[in-house]
Amino acid sequence: MDLLKYFGLSNPRLFVICLLLALAQGIVFVGAQIAITGAHSFPLDDSYIHLQYARQIACGDYLQYQDDAPVTGGATSFLYIHLLALGYLVGFRGALFPFWVVLITWGCVTLIFYQLVRLGERLGVAWAGRAAVVLTFCSGLMAWGLWSGMEIALFSAILLLTLNQFFQSKFQNYSFYILLALLALSRPEGVIVSVVLMSCLIIQKTTRKDFRSLLGSWSEVLSLFLYTFAIVGPPLFYRMTIGRWGGNGLLAKSLLNHPAMTSTEIVESIISNIVSISFFLLGGMQSSYGEYVIPGFLIFTIIGLISFSVFQGVEGRWRALALVLSLAAVFAAMTTVEVWPMHNYRYITPFFPLMLLISMAGIELIVSRINHKDRTLQYALALMAVLICVVHLPTWASRFADNSTTIFEKQRRAAKWMVDRLPDNEQIAINDAGALVYFGRKQIDQYSPEGKVIKVEKKFHNTDLVGLVTNGSTVPYRLGEGGLYEWMERIPFNKRPQYAAVFPSWFMEMSQIYDIFHQPLVTFPDPFDPGFSKTVYHVNWSYAGMEDQPRKQTMRDEWEIRDSIDIGDLTSENQHNYVLRNRNNRFPDIYAPFRRNFGYHEEIDERWPGIEKEQEYLIPVMRQQGILNQYDIVDGGRRINLDESFTLGNLEPGRDAFLIMRSCECSGLHPLFNYGMDLHVNGFFVASFEMQGTPWNWYEKVITIPGDMINQTDISIRIVNKGSLNFSYYDSFYYWICQGKSKLEL
């Protein structure tokens, strides 16, 4: 690859101009933020996830988010974290480490500006390339993302480098393959673009029977091997280390992996995203002031793409088609992202410089068709777009400073408090795992037996409840707090988090409705949004495991539990082949109920008759006697409006079995409830039964399964919702299956 040609030194004057423009944009955002807060901080917590991974890589803990932790897949860019780790290795440590990120961003933004000019010249729309530079420079929306500390600038720069190479009339295959490899390693969207470009190139060569030109030398063979490794290497690594083909990011954000959406609901959400993204790209205002791109952006971009496809030669048309397919594939994939507008549209921001160039080419085409000589309208439209961006530039610079201040004042202070006040190496449940962990360590002095001072590092360990940097919690978190609590219960007791540092608004049931996160120790308010304060709690594990047994009055002395399934516990459900079907292929409004109920009222009334005000009189007595947890049960479940099926095992064929179901009515819309259900075993109807009572109380039902229906150790159970007056559903929490004890046991 001709480095002078592609990295700017073949045109040093243009490169210096781009360098200064990038510096000026960085001063407006990073410099203003430092001037306002007195210190440098990034506006996104996710930026610190990259910094933490990079530091761990440089220290020899490869993709382990913390010491002695397993490999996790929370970084969105394989390439970026290694580039950051390189800076740490060469000496950018401590306060200098974020400065290394700024230097990388400066270089990447410079390359973006430079490549926009070169790509415009290569496509025959030089004016559009220069106009795109001005718009990218003036756009606060883009500048926020480029300087956010994420891989946005890196990915956008590599994308433009790759397309510059791709649109040459003749290019060296090996340099193109290397750029495709870097593109694939920089973001998941890069994999999509690189595969489309490579596929189009292969199709073009094979249709011309010119396939050998793809591998004409050893350098091309080696670079193609590098590209292949970039495509399959990370998925294989994740498969071997965490058991999945991808990192945690896609699992946490993709609609296709949503545990509480049916296929119909997923399709509807994708259609909604298509409408929302299109509206945004057309220039529609989003949730906050300044959150829109130039009016008609999408229309001008489409016209520009058409102009590249129509008004170039055969060679150019092939490549223009590849560009069209690449962008179409990327935005199709983006419609499956549940949170596509999150963090000021950082998922689509990397494509904006390229799309600005294409849209300016579209404007140039329209004007040239109206009046070939007079370009007044062309410049007027471009100037209008620039003015729209400039007007909102101060707003975005202020937002950048505000977001950075939030990280500095809230997350960094919380991390310092926890590492100072909580026990060393304590396991802490957290959300927003970037800045808390990155700043959650400090050097302290200890003394050796000889009396010498030894510098050691004090830190805490995290359990990421959202699941970006902790394996296993991603899907339970998306299911709801009940599913998350059930997942946390499965953590061995000596590794369970004893503290939680969370946004209470994200965990209302655990922190406000029930006392799982209890006894708040300290709160760090958000400087700009009271709903996002960070509070440190104790975690109350006194309820853990109490839900695993049916109540004593349900069981008989001669019974023993042979198997059970904890509904809402994804591990238990998976072990028992649990399948849930929904009426009209939709989940009910409350798809995963989570309840903490005080006991079974029949038992309580029998043991403590005449006590009506339980909260005032009975509960304090039970707490004093140390028996409250025997009656206070926390459990997560499912709301069923069609049917559920699962398998239960460890049975003795030919003997009667007794299926116990725990339920609760969680809406409280009616003073009494009545659930009607049918039981099917191994495909045969067994019985109809009802569950009835008052809302918010636990109830259990026993249904007998005749022994002649049990012809092997495992049976399949299907519970069908029959519906009843006022209730089109039932709430399912736990199932146990019992059989009589053997004669030897008796």
Side-chain angles (χ1 to χ4, degrees):
M1 184 187 299
D2 186 352
L3 295 178
L4 296 179
K5 181 178 180 182
Y6 287 101
F7 288 92
L9 296 182
S10 62
N11 190 341
R13 182 181 177 184
L14 174 61
F15 184 79
V16 170
I17 293 172
C18 295
L19 192 72
L20 294 176
L21 280 175
L23 177 62
Q25 191 184 60
I27 290 173
V28 169
F29 280 79
V30 179
Q33 181 261 316
I34 294 174
I36 293 172
T37 64
H40 177 244
S41 178
F42 295 111
L44 276 178
D45 186 78
D46 288 21
S47 304
Y48 291 96
I49 290 180
H50 288 90
L51 286 171
Q52 176 66 9
Y53 272 118
R55 182 167 62 185
Q56 290 294 100
I57 291 172
C59 293
D61 298 314
Y62 192 72
L63 288 185
Q64 297 170 247
Y65 197 66
Q66 287 190 285
D67 302 342
D68 304 320
V71 170
T72 55
T76 52
S77 175
F78 216 74
L79 176 63
Y80 188 53
I81 56 176
H82 289 83
L83 189 58
L84 296 183
L86 178 63
Y88 193 90
L89 286 171
V90 300
F92 287 88
R93 301 180 182 182
L96 288 177
F97 196 23
F99 182 65
W100 172 247
V101 179
V102 175
L103 287 179
I104 291 174
T105 304
W106 184 19
C108 290
V109 174
T110 300
L111 274 178
I112 289 170
F113 292 156
Y114 185 81
Q115 295 303 319
L116 282 173
V117 175
R118 287 184 54 81
L119 186 58
E121 293 171 348
R122 181 150 291 139
L123 293 172
V125 286
W127 174 86
R130 293 191 290 270
V133 170
V134 176
L135 285 167
T136 303
F137 174 79
C138 296
S139 172
L141 173 65
M142 272 179 278
W144 193 100
L146 292 173
W147 295 93
S148 65
M150 297 294 287
E151 73 281 4
I152 294 171
L154 175 68
F155 175 65
S156 189
I158 295 175
L159 174 65
L160 291 170
L161 275 166
T162 305
L163 292 175
N164 248 315
Q165 175 78 333
F166 186 66
F167 278 98
Q168 285 192 83
S169 56
K170 293 182 179 180
F171 62 82
Q172 296 170 321
N173 287 337
Y174 77 90
S175 59
F176 180 61
Y177 299 157
I178 291 172
L179 285 170
L180 287 180
L182 295 176
L183 190 65
L185 290 171
S186 59
R187 271 198 69 83
E189 295 91 331
V191 176
I192 297 173
V193 175
S194 68
V195 168
V196 173
L197 293 180
M198 177 61 81
S199 300
C200 289
L201 182 64
I202 292 174
I203 292 172
Q204 181 189 26
K205 296 293 185 181
T206 52
T207 53
R208 296 181 179 181
K209 298 181 179 180
D210 191 21
F211 187 75
R212 291 185 179 180
S213 65
L214 293 170
L215 298 170
S217 65
W218 278 108
S219 60
E220 292 173 349
V221 173
L222 291 175
S223 57
L224 184 60
F225 174 79
L226 175 65
Y227 168 66
T228 305
F229 174 79
I231 294 293
V232 303
L236 283 174
F237 174 79
Y238 286 132
R239 181 67 180 177
M240 291 186 293
T241 53
I242 64 177
R244 291 197 313 274
W245 291 104
N248 296 338
L250 289 177
L251 196 63
K253 298 165 186 173
S254 173
L255 288 168
L256 303 180
N257 296 315
H258 205 297
M261 294 183 74
T262 66
S263 56
T264 297
E265 292 169 322
I266 289 172
V267 170
E268 289 176 347
S269 296
I270 290 174
I271 293 172
S272 176
N273 281 349
I274 292 172
V275 173
S276 299
I277 293 173
S278 300
F279 178 74
F280 176 64
L281 293 179
L282 286 169
M285 179 74 77
Q286 294 296 301
S287 58
S288 300
Y289 177 75
E291 288 191 1
Y292 65 88
V293 291
I294 61 175
F297 184 41
L298 180 60
I299 295 174
F300 293 133
T301 301
I302 293 173
I303 293 172
L305 289 170
I306 293 173
S307 71
F308 295 153
S309 303
V310 174
F311 298 107
Q312 296 197 31
V314 177
E315 189 79 17
R317 289 177 187 172
W318 261 104
R319 298 179 186 184
L321 177 62
L323 177 60
V324 172
L325 293 175
S326 298
L327 290 176
V330 163
F331 280 95
M334 211 163 293
T335 61
T336 68
V337 178
E338 185 178 16
V339 292
W340 73 265
M342 179 178 279
H343 300 152
N344 297 324
Y345 317 98
R346 69 178 174 92
Y347 296 100
I348 58 178
T349 300
F351 297 93
F352 278 0
L354 171 63
M355 293 175 67
L356 280 172
L357 185 153
I358 299 170
S359 65
M360 291 298 104
I363 290 176
E364 190 173 9
L365 173 66
I366 294 171
V367 173
S368 67
R369 293 297 165 186
I370 296 173
N371 190 331
H372 182 68
K373 295 181 179 180
D374 187 4
R375 298 301 176 92
T376 304
L377 178 61
Q378 175 178 322
Y379 290 108
L381 289 173
L383 180 60
M384 184 184 300
V386 170
L387 289 175
I388 290 172
C389 293
V390 169
V391 165
H392 295 104
L393 191 61
T395 300
W396 283 101
S398 175
R399 182 179 297 184
F400 188 94
D402 290 349
N403 299 149
S404 300
T405 301
T406 297
I407 297 292
F408 191 83
E409 291 293 325
K410 182 177 63 178
Q411 304 285 62
R412 190 169 181 171
R413 286 180 58 211
K416 186 178 185 304
W417 187 92
M418 287 191 291
V419 80
D420 285 341
R421 304 292 183 88
L422 299 184
D424 189 19
N425 287 313
E426 185 63 78
Q427 198 78 23
I428 302 174
I430 61 178
N431 67 277
D432 271 9
L436 284 180
V437 176
Y438 181 77
F439 293 112
R441 57 173 67 190
K442 71 173 184 178
Q443 295 287 334
I444 61 174
D445 292 338
Q446 286 188 353
Y447 293 91
S448 67
E450 296 79 17
K452 294 182 179 180
V453 177
I454 303 173
K455 291 284 186 182
V456 298
E457 193 171 59
K458 183 182 179 184
K459 57 184 177 297
F460 59 82
H461 291 275
N462 84 92
T463 299
D464 179 14
L465 299 180
V466 179
L468 290 179
V469 298
T470 296
N471 297 326
S473 62
T474 314
V475 176
Y477 170 77
R478 299 184 80 186
L479 181 64
E481 290 184 61
L484 183 62
Y485 177 76
E486 305 257 23
W487 175 82
M488 293 173 69
E489 276 191 302
R490 286 189 170 270
I491 302 174
F493 185 79
N494 61 338
K495 294 184 178 180
R496 279 183 197 162
Q498 301 302 315
Y499 300 89
V502 298
F503 300 145
S505 59
W506 285 22
F507 302 94
M508 289 295 293
E509 291 180 302
M510 289 190 187
S511 64
Q512 307 296 314
I513 300 175
Y514 317 131
D515 60 345
I516 295 166
F517 295 160
H518 73 135
Q519 296 179 5
L521 302 176
V522 63
T523 295
F524 298 92
D526 190 295
F528 306 100
D529 189 345
F532 281 89
S533 61
K534 179 76 71 174
T535 300
V536 182
Y537 297 92
H538 281 290
V539 180
N540 178 13
W541 288 116
S542 61
Y543 304 113
M546 297 303 301
E547 79 279 12
D548 291 334
Q549 296 295 320
R551 64 175 180 163
K552 294 179 181 179
Q553 284 192 356
T554 302
M555 293 289 291
R556 298 180 184 176
D557 292 338
E558 65 272 19
W559 289 358
E560 64 177 0
I561 296 174
R562 295 302 178 92
D563 201 359
S564 64
I565 175 172
D566 186 355
I567 306 300
D569 181 334
L570 297 179
T571 301
S572 180
E573 289 182 353
N574 183 59
Q575 291 170 346
H576 293 87
N577 304 311
Y578 183 81
V579 176
L580 168 65
R581 292 196 307 158
N582 303 276
R583 182 171 284 110
N584 301 321
N585 203 23
R586 294 179 183 278
F587 272 104
D589 291 338
I590 303 175
Y591 50 82
F594 183 40
R595 291 301 304 168
R596 174 197 162 204
N597 294 325
F598 176 56
Y600 296 89
H601 273 224
E602 293 91 338
E603 291 182 18
I604 294 169
D605 291 342
E606 180 180 324
R607 184 167 178 178
W608 292 279
I611 295 182
E612 296 182 359
K613 296 182 178 181
E614 298 165 345
Q615 295 288 339
E616 294 183 26
Y617 301 109
L618 180 57
I619 290 179
V621 172
M622 296 175 72
R623 183 178 287 113
Q624 185 178 10
Q625 295 177 1
I627 61 174
L628 176 62
N629 293 334
Q630 298 176 25
Y631 294 87
D632 219 359
I633 295 173
V634 177
D635 201 5
R638 302 267 195 175
R639 177 157 289 182
I640 314 299
N641 61 13
L642 184 56
D643 64 23
E644 58 181 336
S645 59
F646 48 90
T647 59
L648 294 171
N650 197 32
L651 298 172
E652 293 184 38
R655 300 184 61 194
D656 289 353
F658 308 93
L659 182 69
I660 304 173
M661 174 189 183
R662 174 190 288 154
S663 183
C664 168
E665 202 288 294
C666 301
S667 69
L669 297 176
H670 303 278
L672 296 172
F673 76 91
N674 187 317
Y675 292 156
M677 289 162 268
D678 286 341
L679 169 65
H680 298 256
V681 175
N682 294 331
F684 295 96
F685 172 79
V686 175
S688 294
F689 63 97
E690 290 184 346
M691 185 86 72
Q692 51 190 326
T694 55
W696 302 312
N697 297 312
W698 294 121
Y699 290 92
E700 289 179 2
K701 186 76 174 182
V702 180
I703 310 99
T704 302
I705 301 175
D708 57 10
M709 300 194 71
I710 303 174
N711 50 26
Q712 55 186 5
T713 57
D714 292 344
I715 60 172
S716 63
I717 302 288
R718 180 169 170 248
I719 309 292
V720 180
N721 172 41
K722 292 174 60 179
S724 59
L725 183 65
N726 297 325
F727 295 95
S728 61
Y729 59 84
Y730 66 87
D731 290 339
S732 172
F733 286 86
Y734 224 117
Y735 289 95
W736 299 266
I737 194 162
C738 305
Q739 283 185 316
K741 297 178 182 179
S742 65
K743 293 182 180 180
L744 291 177
E745 292 176 298
L746 294 173

